[in-house]
Amino acid sequence: MFAAWWIYFVVPVHGHLRSNRQAFLWGYGHYLVFASAAAIGAGLEVAVEHAVGKAHISTLAAAAAVTLPTALYLLTVWALHARHFKVGIAQQLVLPVTALLVICCTFLGDGRCSGGDRHRSGGGDRGDADGAHGPPGALQGGGGAGGRD
């Protein structure tokens, strides 16, 4: 996400815009750049809300809220900027392949690899009866969660 700035500004594009058609496509194409960049920020908020248990959506939906706008950003920047300066097929495919890999990451957030969901069941694998190792706000009833019962 934080590389988005550098991916966009790595090479100036003004020398490539030689006709009105190119300039209009480049200019209006930025609607997708700006929209996808804003959606990445909103997706990060959704992912955080999901991680702390406030967003009642699936893990897949929370992951897609970040990965799909990120992939759209990468493809749009590639179409508007990067493809004009890349030499050879390997360089041309860097951003499109990265976008595909980002989309694949959508399906890795189910907790099977990291064991992230086992703590939400109330105590994790240590046998703690009070559930102290779960996410904030996961306890129901008395006895913990910082007095937020």
Side-chain angles (χ1 to χ4, degrees):
M1 162 57 195
F2 298 107
W5 173 272
W6 297 112
I7 291 170
Y8 183 86
F9 286 109
V10 70
V11 177
V13 75
H14 65 275
H16 177 72
L17 304 175
R18 296 186 185 105
S19 69
N20 283 341
R21 182 174 187 266
Q22 288 175 327
F24 281 120
L25 287 173
W26 181 81
Y28 284 112
H30 278 77
Y31 280 120
L32 285 175
V33 172
F34 300 144
S36 60
I40 291 170
L44 288 171
E45 175 67 20
V46 168
V48 168
E49 294 294 321
H50 175 71
V52 299
K54 289 186 178 180
H56 302 289
I57 59 173
S58 68
T59 303
L60 181 67
V66 178
T67 58
L68 295 180
T70 302
L72 179 62
Y73 178 86
L74 292 170
L75 290 173
T76 306
V77 170
W78 172 78
L80 295 177
H81 284 261
R83 69 184 175 97
H84 302 296
F85 302 102
K86 303 292 183 177
V87 181
I89 191 75
Q91 286 185 7
Q92 282 289 340
L93 291 177
V94 168
L95 287 179
V97 169
T98 302
L100 180 63
L101 292 173
V102 167
I103 290 172
C104 290
C105 288
T106 305
F107 305 101
L108 297 177
D110 63 359
R112 281 185 274 168
C113 296
S114 66
D117 285 339
R118 69 178 167 199
H119 295 297
R120 292 196 179 167
S121 63
D125 55 353
R126 293 185 176 178
D128 296 335
D130 63 353
H133 298 285
L139 298 176
Q140 309 253 335
R148 294 181 297 186
D149 299 347

